[in-house]
Amino acid sequence: MERTQTRRPSGRRLATRGLTVVSLFTVAATALTGCASGKATQDTSSRSTATAGGGTTSGAKSTGKNSLYVIGGKPDDPFWSAIKRGGEDAAKLVKAGGGKVTFLGPQNYDNLGPDAAKLTLTALSQNPSAILVPDWVPENQDSAIKQAIAKGIPVFIYNSGGTEAADRVGAMKYIGSDDYEAGKAGGVKFAEEGAKNVLCVNTVPGSANQEARCKGVKDGATSKGSSSKQLPLPSSNFGNPSAVTQAIKGALLKDAGIDAVVTIGVGDADSAAAAIKQAGVGSKVKLGTFDLSQSQLDRIKGGSQLFAIDQQPYLQGFYVVSIADQYLSYGVLPPQNPILTGPLLVTKDNVDAAIAGAKAGVR
């Protein structure tokens, strides 16, 4: 969400990928048009303002009418549906206190860093109580995030960036998984299952968390005597199954030594599964992915996919909204940093529980 980054992300730093509390993560045509231009729909109810010391005005403390702005992924990215569910559930408490949560997201990932920065500034212009944002592309986003913090707005980094990003910009917390450790776990798993040459497919160039994932895969595989290389694809390929399938198929046919493929998201995993089949290498090439979907779970259960790395996005949406709201209203803040939601490997051994969670809308 691929920028070459050789420094190990802090996570101890982890994922690719989305109400007004009227409906957090509302997907409307007007919202999409606004997001594409750096503008977005916004709540117009009364708001409380954070002070420079990280506290809030007396209005927020006494009424809890907090205005939270959540920067997230594009509306049709399936990963964000679980984050949406978590955010919606947490937003019920915000709404009960008279507050609102507004979601802003880009129309696509072609210009992710600059678009996310613009949306952060859009949120800042609305006098929010707090801004909740992934730090996908620091070189583009950090300036906007720091502007918000300089104006006394508490910022919570979630999903991408880790404690490294939170410390660098002065944010309150990092809430999410550890991309590097998640990738490392996947690389180790591949090696333990006999894979020697792992291909990490990245369809969102320029995103720090995807770089960390592929680096983790490489380091995990290397630690067990295997190897890994990256296949970076244009970000315009994200959401284009045919293009991703053909690119992966081409890589498999060009290098017969590839015996495992891992993708940064569930849509790409479906494309990878098709590529493996079309290349006629299903008996040799193992498949893994970051994040979950029903098709991943079905393949794991059926034996045609080795694993999916779950960062538990429902918890990310729930935690970041509820923690920000509780901090603004009561000064309550968990001491842990980061607040980790993953990674957790879903394999044939625990896939049935994951399937039950998917049916409930939280996996």
Side-chain angles (χ1 to χ4, degrees), residues 105-138:
Q107 189 173 22
N108 56 55
Y109 294 143
D110 294 350
N111 201 33
L112 181 62
D115 284 349
K118 289 178 183 178
L119 293 174
T120 300
L121 295 177
T122 296
L124 179 59
S125 73
Q126 300 307 305
N127 192 27
S129 302
I131 295 175
L132 291 45
V133 57
D135 196 357
W136 286 309
V137 189

mmCIF file of all heavy atoms in Angstrom, residues 105-138:
data_model
loop_
_atom_site.group_PDB
_atom_site.id
_atom_site.type_symbol
_atom_site.label_atom_id
_atom_site.label_comp_id
_atom_site.label_asym_id
_atom_site.label_seq_id
_atom_site.Cartn_x
_atom_site.Cartn_y
_atom_site.Cartn_z
ATOM 1 N N GLY A 105 -11.564 7.868 2.676
ATOM 2 C CA GLY A 105 -10.696 6.916 1.996
ATOM 3 C C GLY A 105 -10.487 7.281 0.548
ATOM 4 O O GLY A 105 -11.296 8.003 -0.047
ATOM 5 N N PRO A 106 -9.404 6.819 -0.064
ATOM 6 C CA PRO A 106 -9.117 7.119 -1.461
ATOM 7 C C PRO A 106 -9.996 6.302 -2.399
ATOM 8 O O PRO A 106 -10.528 5.256 -2.027
ATOM 9 C CB PRO A 106 -7.653 6.705 -1.602
ATOM 10 C CG PRO A 106 -7.517 5.571 -0.636
ATOM 11 C CD PRO A 106 -8.394 5.941 0.538
ATOM 12 N N GLN A 107 -10.139 6.779 -3.618
ATOM 13 C CA GLN A 107 -10.915 6.041 -4.608
ATOM 14 C C GLN A 107 -10.131 4.842 -5.137
ATOM 15 O O GLN A 107 -10.697 3.833 -5.522
ATOM 16 C CB GLN A 107 -11.305 6.959 -5.767
ATOM 17 C CG GLN A 107 -12.290 6.346 -6.742
ATOM 18 C CD GLN A 107 -12.770 7.335 -7.766
ATOM 19 O OE1 GLN A 107 -12.106 8.337 -8.017
ATOM 20 N NE2 GLN A 107 -13.922 7.090 -8.363
ATOM 21 N N ASN A 108 -8.802 4.979 -5.162
ATOM 22 C CA ASN A 108 -7.942 3.883 -5.595
ATOM 23 C C ASN A 108 -6.590 4.041 -4.906
ATOM 24 O O ASN A 108 -6.391 4.971 -4.127
ATOM 25 C CB ASN A 108 -7.797 3.853 -7.128
ATOM 26 C CG ASN A 108 -7.287 5.181 -7.672
ATOM 27 O OD1 ASN A 108 -6.241 5.688 -7.254
ATOM 28 N ND2 ASN A 108 -8.032 5.767 -8.602
ATOM 29 N N TYR A 109 -5.663 3.128 -5.214
ATOM 30 C CA TYR A 109 -4.351 3.150 -4.574
ATOM 31 C C TYR A 109 -3.247 3.631 -5.517
ATOM 32 O O TYR A 109 -2.065 3.455 -5.240
ATOM 33 C CB TYR A 109 -3.999 1.752 -4.064
ATOM 34 C CG TYR A 109 -4.898 1.260 -2.948
ATOM 35 C CD1 TYR A 109 -5.284 -0.083 -2.876
ATOM 36 C CD2 TYR A 109 -5.366 2.119 -1.968
ATOM 37 C CE1 TYR A 109 -6.095 -0.537 -1.853
ATOM 38 C CE2 TYR A 109 -6.182 1.684 -0.951
ATOM 39 C CZ TYR A 109 -6.543 0.353 -0.893
ATOM 40 O OH TYR A 109 -7.356 -0.092 0.120
ATOM 41 N N ASP A 110 -3.621 4.255 -6.639
ATOM 42 C CA ASP A 110 -2.627 4.675 -7.611
ATOM 43 C C ASP A 110 -1.696 5.759 -7.069
ATOM 44 O O ASP A 110 -0.551 5.876 -7.493
ATOM 45 C CB ASP A 110 -3.307 5.190 -8.880
ATOM 46 C CG ASP A 110 -4.059 4.084 -9.620
ATOM 47 O OD1 ASP A 110 -3.880 2.904 -9.253
ATOM 48 O OD2 ASP A 110 -4.813 4.405 -10.556
ATOM 49 N N ASN A 111 -2.203 6.582 -6.156
ATOM 50 C CA ASN A 111 -1.430 7.702 -5.607
ATOM 51 C C ASN A 111 -1.611 7.722 -4.096
ATOM 52 O O ASN A 111 -1.923 8.753 -3.500
ATOM 53 C CB ASN A 111 -1.931 9.011 -6.234
ATOM 54 C CG ASN A 111 -0.916 10.127 -6.146
ATOM 55 O OD1 ASN A 111 0.286 9.901 -6.197
ATOM 56 N ND2 ASN A 111 -1.399 11.350 -6.003
ATOM 57 N N LEU A 112 -1.396 6.569 -3.487
ATOM 58 C CA LEU A 112 -1.812 6.330 -2.109
ATOM 59 C C LEU A 112 -1.248 7.331 -1.110
ATOM 60 O O LEU A 112 -1.994 7.922 -0.332
ATOM 61 C CB LEU A 112 -1.431 4.908 -1.689
ATOM 62 C CG LEU A 112 -1.830 4.515 -0.266
ATOM 63 C CD1 LEU A 112 -3.333 4.556 -0.093
ATOM 64 C CD2 LEU A 112 -1.279 3.135 0.085
ATOM 65 N N GLY A 113 0.072 7.518 -1.104
ATOM 66 C CA GLY A 113 0.680 8.392 -0.106
ATOM 67 C C GLY A 113 0.164 9.820 -0.160
ATOM 68 O O GLY A 113 -0.331 10.365 0.841
ATOM 69 N N PRO A 114 0.239 10.483 -1.326
ATOM 70 C CA PRO A 114 -0.277 11.843 -1.432
ATOM 71 C C PRO A 114 -1.769 11.942 -1.138
ATOM 72 O O PRO A 114 -2.224 12.905 -0.504
ATOM 73 C CB PRO A 114 0.031 12.227 -2.886
ATOM 74 C CG PRO A 114 1.229 11.398 -3.236
ATOM 75 C CD PRO A 114 1.000 10.086 -2.537
ATOM 76 N N ASP A 115 -2.547 10.947 -1.589
ATOM 77 C CA ASP A 115 -3.993 10.981 -1.322
ATOM 78 C C ASP A 115 -4.270 10.871 0.173
ATOM 79 O O ASP A 115 -5.124 11.585 0.714
ATOM 80 C CB ASP A 115 -4.696 9.839 -2.065
ATOM 81 C CG ASP A 115 -4.843 10.109 -3.552
ATOM 82 O OD1 ASP A 115 -4.584 11.257 -3.974
ATOM 83 O OD2 ASP A 115 -5.202 9.170 -4.289
ATOM 84 N N ALA A 116 -3.557 9.978 0.855
ATOM 85 C CA ALA A 116 -3.761 9.818 2.296
ATOM 86 C C ALA A 116 -3.364 11.091 3.036
ATOM 87 O O ALA A 116 -4.010 11.477 4.019
ATOM 88 C CB ALA A 116 -2.958 8.629 2.817
ATOM 89 N N ALA A 117 -2.314 11.762 2.576
ATOM 90 C CA ALA A 117 -1.906 13.027 3.192
ATOM 91 C C ALA A 117 -2.986 14.088 3.016
ATOM 92 O O ALA A 117 -3.318 14.823 3.954
ATOM 93 C CB ALA A 117 -0.584 13.499 2.587
ATOM 94 N N LYS A 118 -3.558 14.172 1.813
ATOM 95 C CA LYS A 118 -4.620 15.141 1.552
ATOM 96 C C LYS A 118 -5.834 14.875 2.434
ATOM 97 O O LYS A 118 -6.464 15.803 2.951
ATOM 98 C CB LYS A 118 -5.033 15.087 0.078
ATOM 99 C CG LYS A 118 -3.998 15.638 -0.883
ATOM 100 C CD LYS A 118 -4.471 15.496 -2.322
ATOM 101 C CE LYS A 118 -3.420 15.987 -3.304
ATOM 102 N NZ LYS A 118 -3.870 15.799 -4.713
ATOM 103 N N LEU A 119 -6.156 13.612 2.592
ATOM 104 C CA LEU A 119 -7.316 13.269 3.416
ATOM 105 C C LEU A 119 -7.064 13.584 4.882
ATOM 106 O O LEU A 119 -7.986 13.968 5.611
ATOM 107 C CB LEU A 119 -7.662 11.790 3.228
ATOM 108 C CG LEU A 119 -8.175 11.432 1.829
ATOM 109 C CD1 LEU A 119 -8.344 9.927 1.687
ATOM 110 C CD2 LEU A 119 -9.486 12.133 1.528
ATOM 111 N N THR A 120 -5.821 13.428 5.325
ATOM 112 C CA THR A 120 -5.482 13.815 6.697
ATOM 113 C C THR A 120 -5.671 15.315 6.891
ATOM 114 O O THR A 120 -6.214 15.763 7.914
ATOM 115 C CB THR A 120 -4.032 13.412 7.018
ATOM 116 O OG1 THR A 120 -3.894 11.991 6.873
ATOM 117 C CG2 THR A 120 -3.651 13.803 8.442
ATOM 118 N N LEU A 121 -5.264 16.095 5.903
ATOM 119 C CA LEU A 121 -5.441 17.547 5.987
ATOM 120 C C LEU A 121 -6.919 17.923 5.894
ATOM 121 O O LEU A 121 -7.376 18.881 6.528
ATOM 122 C CB LEU A 121 -4.643 18.240 4.882
ATOM 123 C CG LEU A 121 -3.115 18.095 4.997
ATOM 124 C CD1 LEU A 121 -2.428 18.760 3.812
ATOM 125 C CD2 LEU A 121 -2.606 18.687 6.316
ATOM 126 N N THR A 122 -7.680 17.159 5.108
ATOM 127 C CA THR A 122 -9.128 17.377 5.054
ATOM 128 C C THR A 122 -9.738 17.154 6.425
ATOM 129 O O THR A 122 -10.565 17.947 6.897
ATOM 130 C CB THR A 122 -9.780 16.425 4.030
ATOM 131 O OG1 THR A 122 -9.293 16.735 2.725
ATOM 132 C CG2 THR A 122 -11.297 16.557 4.039
ATOM 133 N N ALA A 123 -9.328 16.064 7.081
ATOM 134 C CA ALA A 123 -9.827 15.791 8.428
ATOM 135 C C ALA A 123 -9.433 16.916 9.382
ATOM 136 O O ALA A 123 -10.241 17.382 10.191
ATOM 137 C CB ALA A 123 -9.272 14.456 8.924
ATOM 138 N N LEU A 124 -8.192 17.377 9.277
ATOM 139 C CA LEU A 124 -7.712 18.441 10.151
ATOM 140 C C LEU A 124 -8.529 19.716 9.984
ATOM 141 O O LEU A 124 -8.810 20.426 10.959
ATOM 142 C CB LEU A 124 -6.239 18.716 9.859
ATOM 143 C CG LEU A 124 -5.566 19.829 10.667
ATOM 144 C CD1 LEU A 124 -5.641 19.537 12.154
ATOM 145 C CD2 LEU A 124 -4.110 19.993 10.223
ATOM 146 N N SER A 125 -8.951 19.998 8.764
ATOM 147 C CA SER A 125 -9.716 21.221 8.502
ATOM 148 C C SER A 125 -11.098 21.212 9.150
ATOM 149 O O SER A 125 -11.744 22.249 9.256
ATOM 150 C CB SER A 125 -9.873 21.423 6.991
ATOM 151 O OG SER A 125 -10.795 20.486 6.438
ATOM 152 N N GLN A 126 -11.543 20.038 9.588
ATOM 153 C CA GLN A 126 -12.876 19.911 10.181
ATOM 154 C C GLN A 126 -12.861 20.004 11.705
ATOM 155 O O GLN A 126 -13.847 19.698 12.361
ATOM 156 C CB GLN A 126 -13.505 18.582 9.750
ATOM 157 C CG GLN A 126 -13.665 18.452 8.245
ATOM 158 C CD GLN A 126 -14.410 19.625 7.647
ATOM 159 O OE1 GLN A 126 -15.525 19.938 8.070
ATOM 160 N NE2 GLN A 126 -13.808 20.285 6.665
ATOM 161 N N ASN A 127 -11.732 20.427 12.267
ATOM 162 C CA ASN A 127 -11.630 20.600 13.714
ATOM 163 C C ASN A 127 -11.994 19.316 14.466
ATOM 164 O O ASN A 127 -12.883 19.299 15.321
ATOM 165 C CB ASN A 127 -12.533 21.755 14.177
ATOM 166 C CG ASN A 127 -12.258 22.172 15.611
ATOM 167 O OD1 ASN A 127 -11.156 22.000 16.114
ATOM 168 N ND2 ASN A 127 -13.272 22.702 16.279
ATOM 169 N N PRO A 128 -11.293 18.215 14.168
ATOM 170 C CA PRO A 128 -11.635 16.930 14.778
ATOM 171 C C PRO A 128 -11.155 16.839 16.219
ATOM 172 O O PRO A 128 -10.284 17.593 16.657
ATOM 173 C CB PRO A 128 -10.887 15.929 13.906
ATOM 174 C CG PRO A 128 -9.647 16.685 13.512
ATOM 175 C CD PRO A 128 -10.103 18.114 13.300
ATOM 176 N N SER A 129 -11.707 15.896 16.941
ATOM 177 C CA SER A 129 -11.195 15.583 18.276
ATOM 178 C C SER A 129 -9.957 14.705 18.183
ATOM 179 O O SER A 129 -9.067 14.786 19.024
ATOM 180 C CB SER A 129 -12.265 14.859 19.093
ATOM 181 O OG SER A 129 -13.434 15.634 19.189
ATOM 182 N N ALA A 130 -9.909 13.838 17.173
ATOM 183 C CA ALA A 130 -8.756 12.969 16.956
ATOM 184 C C ALA A 130 -8.769 12.484 15.525
ATOM 185 O O ALA A 130 -9.829 12.433 14.885
ATOM 186 C CB ALA A 130 -8.758 11.784 17.920
ATOM 187 N N ILE A 131 -7.587 12.135 15.022
ATOM 188 C CA ILE A 131 -7.450 11.569 13.685
ATOM 189 C C ILE A 131 -6.819 10.190 13.816
ATOM 190 O O ILE A 131 -5.812 10.021 14.527
ATOM 191 C CB ILE A 131 -6.591 12.462 12.772
ATOM 192 C CG1 ILE A 131 -7.296 13.810 12.541
ATOM 193 C CG2 ILE A 131 -6.318 11.778 11.431
ATOM 194 C CD1 ILE A 131 -6.467 14.813 11.754
ATOM 195 N N LEU A 132 -7.392 9.209 13.140
ATOM 196 C CA LEU A 132 -6.943 7.821 13.189
ATOM 197 C C LEU A 132 -6.498 7.453 11.785
ATOM 198 O O LEU A 132 -7.323 7.458 10.854
ATOM 199 C CB LEU A 132 -8.080 6.913 13.648
ATOM 200 C CG LEU A 132 -8.577 6.985 15.100
ATOM 201 C CD1 LEU A 132 -8.761 8.383 15.627
ATOM 202 C CD2 LEU A 132 -9.873 6.193 15.257
ATOM 203 N N VAL A 133 -5.217 7.107 11.603
ATOM 204 C CA VAL A 133 -4.707 6.988 10.238
ATOM 205 C C VAL A 133 -3.584 5.963 10.140
ATOM 206 O O VAL A 133 -2.705 5.913 10.992
ATOM 207 C CB VAL A 133 -4.216 8.372 9.735
ATOM 208 C CG1 VAL A 133 -3.153 8.955 10.658
ATOM 209 C CG2 VAL A 133 -3.717 8.314 8.303
ATOM 210 N N PRO A 134 -3.583 5.118 9.102
ATOM 211 C CA PRO A 134 -2.412 4.283 8.836
ATOM 212 C C PRO A 134 -1.296 5.157 8.260
ATOM 213 O O PRO A 134 -1.573 6.091 7.509
ATOM 214 C CB PRO A 134 -2.916 3.282 7.783
ATOM 215 C CG PRO A 134 -4.411 3.412 7.790
ATOM 216 C CD PRO A 134 -4.696 4.816 8.183
ATOM 217 N N ASP A 135 -0.054 4.853 8.582
ATOM 218 C CA ASP A 135 1.068 5.578 7.988
ATOM 219 C C ASP A 135 1.654 4.697 6.892
ATOM 220 O O ASP A 135 2.700 4.084 7.054
ATOM 221 C CB ASP A 135 2.114 5.919 9.055
ATOM 222 C CG ASP A 135 3.083 6.995 8.583
ATOM 223 O OD1 ASP A 135 2.967 7.424 7.418
ATOM 224 O OD2 ASP A 135 3.949 7.406 9.366
ATOM 225 N N TRP A 136 0.979 4.665 5.745
ATOM 226 C CA TRP A 136 1.358 3.785 4.649
ATOM 227 C C TRP A 136 2.647 4.234 3.971
ATOM 228 O O TRP A 136 3.524 3.433 3.693
ATOM 229 C CB TRP A 136 0.251 3.737 3.603
ATOM 230 C CG TRP A 136 -0.945 2.958 3.971
ATOM 231 C CD1 TRP A 136 -1.006 1.678 4.450
ATOM 232 C CD2 TRP A 136 -2.309 3.405 3.881
ATOM 233 N NE1 TRP A 136 -2.308 1.305 4.656
ATOM 234 C CE2 TRP A 136 -3.129 2.334 4.318
ATOM 235 C CE3 TRP A 136 -2.907 4.596 3.470
ATOM 236 C CZ2 TRP A 136 -4.518 2.427 4.350
ATOM 237 C CZ3 TRP A 136 -4.292 4.694 3.509
ATOM 238 C CH2 TRP A 136 -5.087 3.616 3.942
ATOM 239 N N VAL A 137 2.718 5.520 3.654
ATOM 240 C CA VAL A 137 3.855 6.054 2.895
ATOM 241 C C VAL A 137 4.405 7.260 3.653
ATOM 242 O O VAL A 137 3.990 8.397 3.431
ATOM 243 C CB VAL A 137 3.428 6.456 1.468
ATOM 244 C CG1 VAL A 137 4.665 6.793 0.631
ATOM 245 C CG2 VAL A 137 2.637 5.335 0.794
ATOM 246 N N PRO A 138 5.320 7.025 4.588
ATOM 247 C CA PRO A 138 5.776 8.090 5.487
ATOM 248 C C PRO A 138 6.265 9.345 4.792
ATOM 249 O O PRO A 138 6.008 10.460 5.250
ATOM 250 C CB PRO A 138 6.903 7.409 6.271
ATOM 251 C CG PRO A 138 6.548 5.953 6.244
ATOM 252 C CD PRO A 138 5.937 5.724 4.910
#
